[in-house]
Amino acid sequence: MDHNQETIMANFFKECSLSSPTECHQFVRDRLLHQLFSLKDDIEISPLLHQESMSYTCIAKRKAGDQISHSVVVQFRCIELDLYGNHEGSRLHGTVVPLVTFRGSHHGVYVYTSPFAAGKPYVETLIRGDSLPLENMLTTVKGLARIMAQSTNPAIADTHPPDSYVTQLASKFDKFDFKSPTTRQRVLRSLSNIRDNWNLLAKLPQALSPPDLTPFNYHVEPISGDITAVLDWNGATYQPLGRNFHFAENLFGFMTKQGWQDHPERTELEARFKDEVWDVLRSQGYAKEDLRALEYSKVLGILEYYAARVEWRNGYLEMFLEGYLRHCSWEVDLV
């Protein structure tokens, strides 16, 4: 575990009523092992390498000789999880969404377990800067597109009056000190296009949308690129399809200290994503022209996501907006 992860872990124990990882591990041994394993012999408990700021996560592993025969993730959280999204996601997608179970509380901290997720977090690929074969990248894109698009219900009319809602979003960006007038203009043009095409959004089906589908939260099989697990469905709700498609941008490029950088294969990757989404929608009886609405839904999701983060002062908000919005069809048409 690196220094940054150790700091995150130390801050969690400073803020909550638990004293240390050792106390958590002892709770697992005393209270949970009989629920998680048929035999309690040869159980090893260790911290997860990637820790979150508001939780502590460890793994309980049962050994059979030199091999790990069974592993369970145990998480201690300061804030209670909303398990609706996880249970609904598991129902829709099966074992690719590990089912989270509430195990009670310990000194006011909520305790949850889930099966250990196979594969590697996709973020590890981004951090290492690996150059993956195009076929592997296309496989990952296909998997994520289908997870995003398959969990759909019929369309529900949006009750937000378009003018007042778009004006409300615009007012949030008015508070942000843009360094680039180009990015500000992209935001304003996007809001205008959404307002003018609001009626198209009503045609889209509702999809179960995890609100934090970052590369930390989906695992891939390193050799094939297949998605093996999608984590963190806390707060997931049914929203118009496309509203969280901006998370797919992490498959088309990556952020650097200088700004957003597209993969050289972005055109092929984005085309595969759109083809897979269209394949799902076509099977549900949607027409090709309904795909027009997906761009407006995606951009609305981008603006909603970053409007809630205008307090960021490290420059990344503007760089994300610039990197994402420059690919909008109305921006490309201006070039």
Side-chain angles (χ1 to χ4, degrees):
M1 183 178 296
D2 63 26
H3 177 70
N4 181 57
Q5 290 294 304
E6 290 176 349
T7 302
I8 290 173
M9 190 168 65
N11 288 338
F12 167 75
F13 287 106
K14 187 184 298 183
E15 295 296 327
C16 77
S17 54
L18 301 178
S19 61
S20 66
T22 301
E23 182 181 354
C24 295
H25 297 179
Q26 194 60 50
F27 174 83
V28 174
R29 292 191 181 279
D30 295 342
R31 299 276 297 275
L32 296 183
L33 286 191
H34 70 283
Q35 302 177 47
L36 303 176
F37 300 93
S38 56
L39 297 173
K40 295 193 290 183
D41 297 333
D42 296 322
I43 303 297
E44 176 186 297
I45 303 174
S46 58
L48 192 69
L49 289 179
H50 295 285
Q51 298 288 335
E52 300 175 10
S53 59
M54 297 299 291
S55 65
Y56 169 70
T57 307
C58 59
I59 307 175
K61 309 172 186 176
R62 186 173 189 278
K63 291 186 174 181
D66 295 332
Q67 303 296 316
I68 302 297
S69 63
H70 183 45
S71 299
V72 177
V73 175
V74 184
Q75 188 172 74
F76 298 79
R77 298 185 62 92
C78 293
I79 300 174
E80 187 174 6
L81 285 175
D82 173 6
L83 293 180
Y84 167 77
N86 172 263
H87 290 183
E88 184 73 352
S90 185
R91 180 184 70 82
L92 292 165
H93 302 296
T95 56
V96 75
V97 180
L99 188 65
V100 176
T101 302
F102 176 56
R103 299 292 182 176
S105 60
H106 179 54
H107 294 311
V109 176
Y110 302 95
V111 184
Y112 301 89
T113 63
S114 65
F116 179 74
K120 298 288 186 181
Y122 189 73
V123 70
E124 290 188 11
T125 299
L126 301 180
I127 292 174
R128 291 196 305 265
D130 292 350
S131 179
L132 296 176
L134 177 59
E135 197 57 41
N136 290 42
M137 299 169 73
L138 290 171
T139 298
T140 304
V141 167
K142 174 181 177 180
L144 197 66
R146 289 195 166 269
I147 287 169
M148 286 179 156
Q150 278 181 330
S151 53
T152 54
N153 285 331
I156 300 174
D158 196 321
T159 56
H160 290 118
D163 287 334
S164 61
Y165 188 62
V166 172
T167 300
Q168 181 184 5
L169 268 181
S171 68
K172 293 181 179 180
F173 286 108
D174 284 342
K175 302 174 184 176
F176 185 75
D177 181 22
F178 284 93
K179 304 303 180 187
S180 167
T182 300
T183 306
R184 178 183 288 279
Q185 289 303 313
R186 292 195 202 280
V187 169
L188 294 176
R189 280 193 293 269
S190 295
L191 288 166
S192 177
N193 275 277
I194 290 167
R195 180 190 289 112
D196 294 344
N197 294 277
W198 192 267
N199 62 310
L200 295 179
L201 296 175
K203 297 182 179 182
L204 292 171
Q206 300 281 306
L208 185 65
S209 303
D212 195 26
L213 196 54
T214 67
F216 286 96
N217 289 327
Y218 49 91
H219 289 198
V220 299
E221 203 288 316
I223 297 177
S224 67
D226 287 318
I227 290 182
T228 58
V230 180
L231 312 177
D232 196 357
W233 293 70
N234 184 42
T237 59
Y238 279 95
Q239 294 185 324
L241 183 64
R243 200 59 60 88
N244 70 340
F245 275 14
H246 57 282
F247 289 116
E249 288 287 330
N250 292 298
L251 299 173
F252 311 148
F254 53 93
M255 181 58 72
T256 71
K257 292 181 179 179
Q258 291 72 42
W260 184 261
Q261 179 68 49
D262 290 327
H263 287 309
E265 307 90 349
R266 180 188 174 101
T267 299
E268 297 97 319
L269 295 169
E270 191 169 19
R272 174 63 63 88
F273 182 85
K274 291 178 179 178
D275 287 346
E276 292 300 327
V277 171
W278 164 234
D279 191 52
V280 172
L281 290 181
R282 179 176 54 191
S283 69
Q284 297 174 358
Y286 286 88
K288 191 93 175 186
E289 53 266 26
D290 295 330
L291 290 177
R292 287 183 55 211
L294 284 176
E295 181 175 24
Y296 301 116
S297 185
K298 174 184 176 180
V299 175
L300 179 56
I302 291 171
L303 297 175
E304 288 174 332
Y305 185 84
Y306 288 104
R309 292 160 175 79
V310 292
E311 73 281 359
W312 287 4
R313 291 293 181 266
N314 57 11
Y316 280 109
L317 182 146
E318 188 166 352
M319 288 193 289
F320 275 115
L321 286 171
E322 175 63 26
Y324 293 171
L325 297 182
R326 71 187 183 202
H327 291 290
C328 295
S329 60
W330 48 87
E331 296 296 326
V332 174
D333 290 344
L334 290 176
V335 177

